[in-house]
Amino acid sequence: MADVERENNILKDGTVLNRRLEQIRELERENQQLRQQPQTAGASLAPDYEAIRDRTLNKLKVGKQSTAGKAIDAFIKELKHGL
């Protein structure tokens, strides 16, 4: 009788191990997907430079064609070039 119980326990342990293994595989797939996300999400996290420029120029009470406006545009161009 003890042998039968031991075999049942082994079978149960095997089933549990198989479930755990499948969970690990699923988590590995999810982890791989999450590792790839920052590459695609990075572009959407970039600030809206033009909106920032417009607010700044508004505060300075100057337009886009002013020296300050052109300097900010050149700065934005350099920022985008670095990305």
Side-chain angles (χ1 to χ4, degrees):
M1 188 64 146
D3 290 337
V4 173
E5 286 181 20
R6 188 174 24 226
E7 285 183 33
N8 282 340
N9 288 336
I10 290 171
L11 290 174
K12 287 178 186 176
D13 289 346
T15 302
V16 170
L17 288 175
N18 284 333
R19 287 185 194 145
R20 296 285 189 242
L21 184 59
E22 186 55 39
Q23 288 173 338
I24 289 170
R25 288 181 181 142
E26 180 61 33
L27 289 171
E28 286 174 345
R29 285 190 290 271
E30 184 179 340
N31 198 9
Q32 187 175 1
Q33 290 173 345
L34 290 173
R35 280 192 194 116
Q36 293 171 352
Q37 271 185 344
Q39 298 166 354
T40 57
S44 65
L45 296 178
D48 185 359
Y49 295 117
E50 285 74 17
I52 295 168
R53 175 200 59 209
D54 292 343
R55 283 196 309 272
T56 303
L57 291 176
N58 239 357
K59 289 178 185 178
L60 295 172
K61 297 184 177 160
V62 294
K64 293 178 189 175
Q65 296 302 316
S66 68
T67 304
K70 290 177 182 177
I72 292 174
D73 282 338
F75 182 70
I76 291 171
K77 184 178 178 182
E78 286 297 316
L79 285 175
K80 288 182 176 179
H81 178 71
L83 297 176

